[in-house]
Amino acid sequence: MLAADPGASIASIAGEAGVDRRTVYRRFASREDLLAAIYAARLTAVEQAIEDARLREAPVAVALHRYVENIITVNRTWPVDLTRMLADEDVRARRDASVHEVDVFLRRATDEGLLRPDLPEGWAGALMPQLMHLVSRQLPRLSAGRAADVVVDTLLNGLGAP
């Protein structure tokens, strides 16, 4: 609900969940506490997605696909407004640590020849999240695996004909 309407009230969220708003307030003292819990859950899911992808030790192509598939699943499970999420300094620090892990991996992917070395610095790191976000929203009927195929193919081969 918050992804569709960031201003959704606790009462409407409770109603959608099939509980009384007092039940929500017993767990979360305020709307901000609810949002903080959602952001924390998303960050934990992202951290787990990175860990599961084994970005530092798995073969680069395998790790790339696994990471993209995992993040597409996170994006679909936790479709929150990242701008609001990153306003919190602690949240931003955790997110920056995850971004760093991915940047290290992308340097490895470049060093091992999977990505072109002649692209502007940080280009793959800027493009990949946009592709994952786009496929998560625009192609919801694709499985996470097939959606990852689309993202990885687009990232590695572009849109031009061979």
Side-chain angles (χ1 to χ4, degrees):
M1 284 187 72
L2 289 169
D5 178 12
S9 69
I10 293 290
S12 63
I13 292 168
E16 184 70 20
V19 299
D20 187 84
R21 74 182 172 91
R22 291 175 296 198
T23 302
V24 176
Y25 278 116
R26 273 195 291 272
R27 174 94 164 108
F28 306 103
S30 67
R31 188 172 194 287
E32 290 71 31
D33 287 349
L34 172 61
L35 289 172
I38 291 169
Y39 299 156
R42 179 183 166 84
L43 281 170
T44 298
V46 167
E47 292 161 349
Q48 188 63 54
I50 290 170
E51 185 178 321
D52 288 348
R54 300 178 53 234
L55 298 180
R56 291 186 185 252
E57 55 274 343
V60 176
V62 172
L64 175 62
H65 194 280
R66 188 179 295 147
Y67 168 74
V68 170
E69 184 174 347
N70 291 347
I71 294 299
I72 288 168
T73 300
V74 170
N75 286 347
R76 289 175 172 173
T77 304
W78 302 100
V80 300
D81 178 0
L82 297 179
T83 305
R84 292 181 63 159
M85 182 175 124
L86 296 175
D88 180 281
E89 288 183 34
D90 293 334
V91 168
R92 184 184 312 241
R94 278 181 70 188
R95 188 252 189 184
D96 288 349
S98 293
V99 168
H100 175 72
E101 280 297 310
V102 173
D103 286 344
V104 167
F105 168 73
L106 292 172
R107 278 194 293 281
R108 178 178 164 227
T110 302
D111 292 345
E112 292 188 20
L114 189 68
L115 298 175
R116 290 178 21 206
D118 62 329
L119 295 173
E121 181 73 26
W123 185 244
L127 182 60
M128 193 165 52
Q130 297 301 319
L131 291 172
M132 291 185 295
H133 177 77
L134 187 62
V135 78
S136 296
R137 302 298 186 272
Q138 297 295 320
L139 302 173
R141 288 193 171 92
L142 289 183
S143 69
R146 180 65 186 114
D149 292 344
V150 171
V151 169
V152 170
D153 183 60
T154 302
L155 184 68
L156 298 180
N157 300 311
L159 298 174

